[in-house]
Amino acid sequence: MRYGLVVLLLLVFAVPAQADIDLDAEVARLVGPDATVRSAAYTTLMRANDPAVIAKLLPVLGDADDIAQYYGVLLIQRHPKQGKPALKKLCASRSPHMRVVAGAALWRMGDRKAGPVIVKALAADGVEDTRRGTMLMRIYNVTDPGVMEAVRGFLTTDGAPTVVQAAVYTVYVGRDRSAVTALQGLDEHADSGVRAMAGAARLVLGDPTGEGTLAGAFEDGGVSTSALSRVRSILDQARPVPPKVLAAIHGALAEETSPYALRMLVELLGLHGYAKATKDI
């Protein structure tokens, strides 16, 4: 009993109180290059829950990388009274990603004037494809009509797969049924991951013809692990998954070599009760 009490006291005193945290040092760690250090700093600042961190973040977030900007906004939005004015300032950043993340946070906090900020940032020139895909993923649950129209503009047959996949996932999350026609057009996209995601999204959005597109993408092969992960997430909302699709996913097992992708395929089939896969495996 005494030993347990000692351990408990050691744990309590090992956790720094809010006043003991050096906000300047933790913010410097948050915007630094080391991912592990950054994650630890984010956890520390979240636990501190100190609105004073906002003033420390404002001068440095605009020049930070995407992950640090995202973490910074998550910290800021925890304090709506002080956070909203700060987010509005970040909406004027030179960084399109910063403007998207800050604008999306404001919109989700009820500021509908943030919609045009997001639209303009999404259309910024000179943004690398991977970063633009990240920007699209940051606007989850923003259902502003103007923003959704801008996102639909990225559903093109000649778009970079990273960008188009992100746009597909965003219209799916926003349950944007007006995107179905554009999603159908992605049947002509060269990337099987784009086609798989578009087919899955169409099923959720009420278009049964997505079945053929999704099954065909798996039959063609080459669905990337990132696309596969998103297809799994989408299909969790598409119960029951058509047998034709499950059969095509089952067929993809024989061609897949990535352990991660194999696990995803098996789990996907198991979640939807495809017993034949279990026997074959």
Side-chain angles (χ1 to χ4, degrees):
M1 181 69 177
R2 181 179 298 175
Y3 176 78
L5 180 59
V6 170
V7 172
L8 178 60
L9 289 172
L10 285 173
L11 288 173
V12 169
F13 286 108
V15 178
Q18 180 173 312
D20 295 331
I21 292 175
D22 185 338
L23 292 180
D24 289 302
E26 293 301 328
V27 167
R29 284 154 51 89
L30 184 77
V31 300
D34 189 303
T36 302
V37 170
R38 171 189 295 150
S39 180
Y42 172 68
T43 300
T44 298
L45 291 170
M46 284 288 283
R47 288 175 177 170
N49 198 31
D50 186 349
V53 75
I54 295 174
K56 310 289 185 182
L57 288 167
L58 274 178
V60 296
L61 276 187
D63 295 323
D65 68 16
D66 294 351
I67 297 296
Q69 289 179 351
Y70 181 61
Y71 281 170
V73 167
L74 291 179
L75 290 164
I76 290 170
Q77 69 184 20
R78 299 190 77 194
H79 310 281
K81 183 177 179 180
Q82 304 95 327
K84 284 186 177 181
L87 291 170
K88 289 179 181 179
K89 290 181 180 179
L90 292 173
C91 283
S93 170
R94 292 174 300 174
S95 163
H97 178 271
M98 183 80 268
R99 298 199 301 272
V100 164
V101 177
L106 275 173
W107 195 93
R108 287 190 288 263
M109 294 167 76
D111 185 350
R112 296 302 184 252
K113 293 181 180 179
V117 173
I118 301 170
V119 171
K120 186 175 180 181
L122 286 175
D125 293 328
V127 178
E128 190 264 335
D129 289 336
T130 300
R131 195 176 205 206
R132 199 180 300 277
T134 300
M135 289 162 58
L136 286 161
M137 294 295 287
R138 298 295 191 222
I139 57 177
Y140 57 88
N141 294 333
V142 174
T143 55
D144 178 90
V147 172
M148 286 293 99
E149 181 180 2
V151 174
R152 291 194 296 273
F154 292 103
L155 299 174
T156 60
T157 56
D158 59 350
T162 54
V163 175
V164 183
Q165 288 180 21
V168 170
Y169 197 76
T170 300
V171 297
Y172 148 71
V173 171
R175 297 299 192 270
D176 183 10
R177 296 185 185 279
S178 60
V180 167
T181 300
L183 290 170
Q184 290 171 341
L186 295 179
D187 282 359
E188 304 303 318
H189 200 286
D191 182 72
S192 58
V194 166
R195 299 195 304 275
M197 288 183 60
R202 282 157 55 190
L203 286 176
V204 174
L205 295 175
D207 174 17
T209 66
E211 173 185 350
T213 298
L214 178 53
F218 278 108
E219 290 166 358
D220 292 341
V223 179
S224 67
T225 53
S226 60
L228 179 58
S229 175
R230 291 171 181 170
V231 167
R232 175 186 171 178
S233 177
I234 295 170
L235 289 182
D236 281 345
Q237 305 300 317
R239 298 174 184 274
V241 174
K244 180 179 179 179
V245 172
L246 292 174
I249 295 173
H250 175 233
L253 286 171
E255 305 297 328
E256 187 56 66
T257 58
S258 163
Y260 174 78
L262 282 169
R263 179 171 64 83
M264 293 289 292
L265 289 168
V266 171
E267 289 180 358
L268 181 57
L269 291 169
L271 286 172
H272 295 280
Y274 195 70
K276 187 176 187 300
T278 305
K279 295 178 183 177
D280 289 353
I281 295 166

